[in-house]
Amino acid sequence: MHDPAFQRLYSAQVVALLGTGLLTVALGLLAHDMAGRNAGTVLGTALTIKMAAYVFVAPLMAAATVRVPARALLIATDVLRAAVALALPFVESVWQIYLLVFVLQAASATFTPAFQSVIAATLSDEHTYTQALSLSRMAYDLESLASPVLAAALLTVLDYPALFLGTVAGFLSSATAILSVRLPGAPERTRPQPFRDRVWRGARIMWSAADLRALLALNLVVAAATGLVMVNTVVYVGDLLGAGETGLAVALACYGGGSLLAALGAPRILLITSDRTVMLAGAVTCAAGLSATALFLAAAPNGLTGWIALAALWPALGVGTAMVSMPAPRLLRRNSTAGDRSEVFSAQFSLSHAGFLLTYPVAGWIGATLGQAVAALCLAALATLATLVAVNVWPRPGREFHGSTARKPFVTVAGQPGP
């Protein structure tokens, strides 16, 4: 990627992600320091607050900031996140953690969809945009691997409050990189719209387009696979395989490695086949991987056999989730215009995270009460049903534009040519 604007925006994303990763580790240590044995409850509540902010705040802020220039909005949210990170080491009670986490995640729920819509507006060529999406996905996966390692290295010479300073540095570096890029101003509106209409605008656009209705179902597939991995990997590794923190890191690295592999190959694959084919293949991979995981857990293998099974299943789930998630912004851009792109990306951000409010409890509560195999089977059933819905509502091959054909102007739901 040789686009100067994207290079600076991508550097902003990378340093902000590293800051977020350090914050995750530091927040866990802060919770343990303040709550002791109840640290898990504190972190669980903080994660719930995070998801609630993502689901409910994103569309509200997209509607409220519709006239704010993109660069000003991104810099302001980076500065706000830096301020929250700077304040966290000085909290004296748990409720203050909850309040600051909500503010932090509300800022992230504003920043992320706005950043994604800016990338969509900056890169007009479809293949170049796909390469950018691949790099962005790889940044997320590498951050999940690199941040804990960086945090561990820093903790060998510093106390954990210093990690918050690393987070502050990450967000401020992101703001500085964005400041150096010339971005489009706020889109012109032909007539003012009521705030309520702006809040629901992105969701209405998603519901009106067949491929985006399919995406809503595919979001559930991703949430099912990701929920199982993120919630229950620690249980599988600890209880079935008898491994500790190193084993957990290896298992999660297997999942991240599969996602990285898919993100690396996606730009070339999308040159010769459609988004529909790639994304539905990813959904089938997720559903099959979850079903195989249920069988794996029912058999309760241990030792080397268990590790071989996990080392095959977790990369497959990583590949499947990336095949669904990475091309999704292409659909969003194709069905939006400069005037409504921010609302559409915010709607997808909100609705995709809403799936986790279902799959996280299924993975955790059912796994704890009825058994891990039952939880995996429930998630496999959910993923299979969502995949069948997506297959039925998405137009058949040949009725959609994809990377293997000459670039065409896409059409918005209003029937007007897009940018």
Side-chain angles (χ1 to χ4, degrees):
M1 289 289 295
H2 301 293
D3 186 281
F6 173 75
Q7 289 177 348
R8 294 179 184 178
L9 290 171
Y10 187 65
S11 67
Q13 180 188 24
V14 170
V15 293
L17 283 173
L18 284 174
T20 302
L22 293 178
L23 179 64
T24 301
V25 177
L27 192 59
L29 295 172
L30 176 64
H32 185 269
D33 195 20
M34 294 190 65
R37 294 182 179 179
N38 294 322
T41 302
V42 173
L43 286 177
T45 304
L47 287 174
T48 302
I49 292 172
K50 172 183 176 179
M51 287 300 163
Y54 280 6
V55 172
F56 298 110
V57 172
L60 293 174
M61 292 305 298
T65 60
V66 69
R67 295 187 179 278
V68 179
R71 184 166 68 168
L73 180 63
L74 294 176
I75 291 173
T77 49
D78 263 339
V79 171
L80 178 58
R81 293 193 291 180
V84 171
L86 191 61
L88 275 168
F90 301 101
V91 300
E92 297 179 350
S93 60
V94 171
W95 72 266
Q96 293 173 333
I97 293 180
Y98 295 154
L99 177 62
L100 289 175
V101 165
F102 177 79
V103 174
L104 177 74
Q105 301 306 338
S108 294
T110 305
F111 178 93
T112 303
F115 183 87
Q116 292 171 339
S117 65
V118 163
I119 296 296
T122 302
L123 301 174
S124 58
D125 178 71
E126 185 84 354
H127 182 59
T128 303
Y129 181 52
T130 304
Q131 290 179 311
L133 296 177
S134 172
L135 289 172
S136 180
R137 177 74 191 194
M138 291 170 64
Y140 278 104
D141 291 329
L142 288 172
E143 179 275 323
S144 66
L145 299 176
S147 291
V149 174
L150 177 60
L154 291 174
L155 289 172
T156 60
V157 294
L158 300 169
D159 293 331
Y160 81 83
L163 298 182
F164 289 109
L165 295 179
T167 299
V168 172
F171 289 141
L172 293 182
S173 297
S174 172
T176 302
I178 293 170
L179 183 63
S180 67
V181 183
R182 181 175 298 230
L183 298 178
E188 294 292 332
R189 302 283 171 166
T190 56
R191 64 178 185 271
Q193 289 184 313
F195 179 77
R196 182 178 62 183
D197 291 346
R198 297 200 305 268
V199 169
W200 292 103
R201 189 180 186 190
R204 286 198 301 267
I205 291 173
M206 292 194 70
W207 188 251
S208 66
D211 51 353
L212 295 186
R213 287 199 301 274
L215 178 59
L216 293 175
L218 293 174
N219 287 336
L220 273 179
V221 179
V222 173
T226 306
L228 180 83
V229 171
M230 294 303 168
V231 174
N232 288 341
T233 298
V234 63
V235 180
Y236 305 158
V237 170
D239 293 353
L240 291 179
L241 304 178
E245 294 179 358
T246 302
L248 175 61
V250 170
L252 292 177
C254 288
Y255 175 78
S259 180
L260 273 172
L261 181 65
L264 190 62
R268 291 187 178 182
I269 295 174
L270 288 168
L271 280 174
I272 59 175
T273 190
S274 67
D275 295 304
R276 182 183 190 273
T277 300
V278 171
M279 295 175 73
L280 292 180
V284 170
T285 301
C286 288
L290 288 168
S291 300
T293 300
L295 294 175
F296 155 69
L297 294 170
N302 51 36
L304 181 60
T305 303
W307 273 112
I308 292 174
L310 201 67
L313 292 171
W314 262 222
L317 291 174
V319 167
T321 55
M323 288 173 67
V324 174
S325 299
M326 205 220 78
R330 288 162 49 108
L331 308 184
L332 300 175
R333 186 170 80 156
R334 203 168 294 146
N335 287 280
S336 63
T337 66
D340 56 35
R341 185 169 292 133
S342 178
E343 289 99 326
V344 172
F345 275 85
S346 293
Q348 164 63 7
F349 183 83
S350 172
L351 295 170
S352 62
H353 284 90
F356 292 103
L357 295 178
L358 171 63
T359 60
Y360 278 178
V362 168
W365 296 345
I366 293 182
T369 56
L370 301 180
Q372 298 298 334
V374 176
L377 185 61
C378 289
L379 292 171
L382 177 63
T384 301
L385 178 61
T387 301
L388 291 175
V389 170
V391 169
N392 283 295
V393 302
W394 201 331
R396 300 296 181 189
R399 296 176 59 192
E400 63 172 351
F401 165 72
H402 56 79
S404 61
T405 64
R407 181 170 177 80
K408 306 173 185 177
F410 55 88
V411 176
T412 69
V413 295
Q416 300 299 318

